[in-house]
Each structure stands twice: as C-alpha cells, then as structure tokens.
C-alpha cells in the first residue's frame, strides 16, 4: 500500500482526486483499445466528498475526461425508498453524479427495492463484470475497519451480498438520520472479493476516530476482524490520510504528500 499523509482533510481531498484523475486517465487509455470507457467505484459517507469536488474541478481543467465514465456504488441500505434523501441512490446522485456531470443511466447502485435481495446482489456483481470491472475504486473506512459495508467477520473472498449492519456503523451513521432508530439494519454491499477485483483503489480517511482501524489495515495481519486489511492483498492501493488518521502508524510506513 502506498500511504500518503497530508496535514488536513482539505489537502487529502486534493491529493486523492489527483490520484483518481491519473488512474482514470490511464484506464481511459487502456480501454480505448477495446472501445470501452472507464468504470469508477464510489463510496458514500463524508470521507470522499472533497475528492469528488476536486475530481469535478480537474475534469473542468481538462486533466481527466469523464465522458462515458460509469460509476458503481459500493453499497445501499435495505428498507429505504430509493428517493429517500439518505438512500445511497440519492446520495450518489447528489454527491457524485451531478458534480461529475454523469448521465443518470451511467450510475449504478444495488437495487434493494425488490423482494429477492440475494438475487439483486448477484445481479450487481454481474453488472460490474459486464462493464469490464471497476478501474478505480474510491473507499472510506469505518471506525471498526469496515470497507463498503463489509463488517468485521466478513469472508475475505465475499462477493456482493446482504449484510446486517454493526451497531457501531449504525451509530456512526445516525448523524445522517433523525436518530439511530431510523438507520436501517440491513444493506447490500460489494464484497471484499468484489472490491479486491478492482484494478486500483484509493482510500481516504481523516480524523483520529479512524486511526486504530487504519493501523490495523496497514500494519496488522490480514484478518476478517479488520475487513480493510484485505486491501493488503490488493496490488494497487493508495491510502490518503490526514495526520490524525495516521497517528497510530510508524513514520517509516508512510510518505508525506
Ligand atoms: C459508504 C461505505 C462506508 C464508508 C465508511 C466511512 O459507501 O461504504 O464503508 O466509507 O463507513 O464513512 P465516513 O466517510 O462517513 O466516515
């Protein structure tokens, strides 16, 4: 893992966006050969918001061409209508699709509006494969080490699946809802194996609440107790941290950005 540490969240967004833009541009050149276009994997939550804004800015400056790019969300709650303001359908629309200028049919979110959630999860994995796989996967990390909604204990080779959200995840996400009681208990998430299939991943974490999970992800054993540690098996991961999120890492494992 390439771990870049910057002074604050603003700078983390800029550095992450530059990595994403460079990787998307490289994916565009690769895909030109078969006439397909790059595929971006997108996380919701607070961590990547600045990066999305800066990617949009880099596209305006001509550093990256987003025409024809499609996007796949990592996850979606079960039990919220698609037009609920906190459904990831809506969140991805607001924070990714509109700023990046992508057309509605270029953005995919697991379909939790059907009764057969397992079938919807399997269909999502197939849709990613049909798009030629994810070129650049943007990630955040939960304080309990989750990526996507792969909670501690998730098998490292899991595919897109239905998950019961951990209490820590529900309480962390209660800030987006009226109260924790309004946070759904279930979701569909890309699996750790699905995320591991992406060609490159860019994980952003800021704040001291993430420091322990980051240390386990970077320097701990590869262990389902810290789902993000599965990224140690991924060949191409850039981690962008502020000083607080990096505070439990040895200086020798990181570089300043
Ligand atoms: C969101 C997701 C989660 C978040 C994580 C961190 O789609 O998959 O793994 O990335 O919960 O959330 P924030 O960034 O809000 O701290």
């Amino acid at each position: 893992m390439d771990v870049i540490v910057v002074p604050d969240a603003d700078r983390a967004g800029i550095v992450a966006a530059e990595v994403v833009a460079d990787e998307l541009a490289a994916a565009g050149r690769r895909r030109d050969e078969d006439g397909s276009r790059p595929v971006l994997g997108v996380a919701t939550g607070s961590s990547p918001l600045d990066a999305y804004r800066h990617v949009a800015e880099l596209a305006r400056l001509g550093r990256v061409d987003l025409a024809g790019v499609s996007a796949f969300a990592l996850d979606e709650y079960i039990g919220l209508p698609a037009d609920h303001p906190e459904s990831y359908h809506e969140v991805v629309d607001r924070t990714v699709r509109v700023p990046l200028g992508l057309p509605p049919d270029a953005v995919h979110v697991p379909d939790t509006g059907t009764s057969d959630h397992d079938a919807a999860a399997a269909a999502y994995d197939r849709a990613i494969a049909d798009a030629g796989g994810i070129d650049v996967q943007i990630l955040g990390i939960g304080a309990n080490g989750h990526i996507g909604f792969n909670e501690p204990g998730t098998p490292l080779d899991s595919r897109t699946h239905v998950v019961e959200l951990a209490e820590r995840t529900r309480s962390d996400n209660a800030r987006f809802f009226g109260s924790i009681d309004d946070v759904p208990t279930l979701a569909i998430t890309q699996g750790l194996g699905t995320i591991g299939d992406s060609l490159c991943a860019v994980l952003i974490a800021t704040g001291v609440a993430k420091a322990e999970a980051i240390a386990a992800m970077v320097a701990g054993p590869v262990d389902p107790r810290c789902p993000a540690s599965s990224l140690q098996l991924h060949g191409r991961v850039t981690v962008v941290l502020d000083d607080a999120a990096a505070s439990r890492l040895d200086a020798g494992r990181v570089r300043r950005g």
Side-chain angles (χ1 to χ4, degrees):
M1 284 184 204
D2 183 20
V3 185
I4 305 173
V5 181
V6 298
D8 53 41
D10 269 0
R11 182 78 193 138
I14 293 170
V15 169
E18 284 172 352
V19 176
V20 169
D22 288 348
E23 293 286 1
L24 270 182
R29 289 191 291 275
R30 268 194 317 272
R31 286 187 177 254
D32 274 348
E33 286 164 26
D34 65 6
S36 66
R37 293 294 296 150
V39 179
L40 186 61
V42 293
T44 55
S46 308
S47 306
L49 293 177
D50 283 340
Y52 294 140
R53 278 193 286 271
H54 287 298
V55 170
E57 183 58 25
L58 291 173
R60 268 191 296 277
L61 295 171
R63 268 276 303 275
V64 58
D65 177 10
L66 298 176
V69 166
S70 61
F72 283 83
L74 274 172
D75 37 28
E76 176 60 294
Y77 292 116
I78 291 175
L80 291 185
D83 62 357
H84 186 288
E86 292 307 325
S87 80
Y88 286 170
H89 210 91
E90 282 292 305
V91 172
V92 169
D93 199 70
R94 233 174 21 237
T95 64
V96 182
R97 189 190 73 73
V98 171
L100 269 50
L102 306 181
D105 64 357
V107 177
H108 309 268
V109 179
D111 180 6
T112 56
T114 64
S115 53
D116 191 342
H117 299 309
D118 292 331
Y124 200 64
D125 262 348
R126 279 198 302 278
I128 292 172
D130 289 349
I134 290 172
D135 294 295
V136 187
Q137 177 64 61
I138 298 173
L139 296 167
I141 184 171
N144 65 358
H146 72 221
I147 51 173
F149 275 142
N150 294 282
E151 301 289 20
T154 305
L156 300 178
D157 62 353
S158 50
R159 311 305 306 176
T160 299
H161 63 285
V162 177
V163 63
E164 188 171 341
L165 297 176
E167 278 312 292
R168 175 72 199 256
T169 301
R170 294 184 65 239
S171 63
D172 284 349
N173 286 4
R175 68 188 194 279
F176 298 116
F177 293 83
S179 86
I180 188 170
D181 298 331
D182 298 329
V183 183
T185 55
L186 299 173
I188 290 180
T189 182
Q190 285 187 38
L192 295 174
T194 318
I195 293 169
D197 286 347
S198 58
L199 287 189
C200 90
V202 181
L203 185 144
I204 305 153
T206 59
V208 71
K210 304 291 175 70
E212 198 175 322
I214 288 294
M217 172 183 87
V218 174
V222 176
D223 189 316
R225 281 177 292 184
C226 176
S229 67
S230 62
L231 294 173
Q232 291 180 30
L233 306 173
H234 192 299
R236 196 170 173 85
V237 180
T238 303
V239 180
V240 184
L241 306 173
D242 69 354
D243 281 310
S247 57
R248 297 198 49 183
L249 285 177
D250 289 344
R253 288 196 178 261
V254 308
R255 64 184 175 96
R256 302 291 309 183

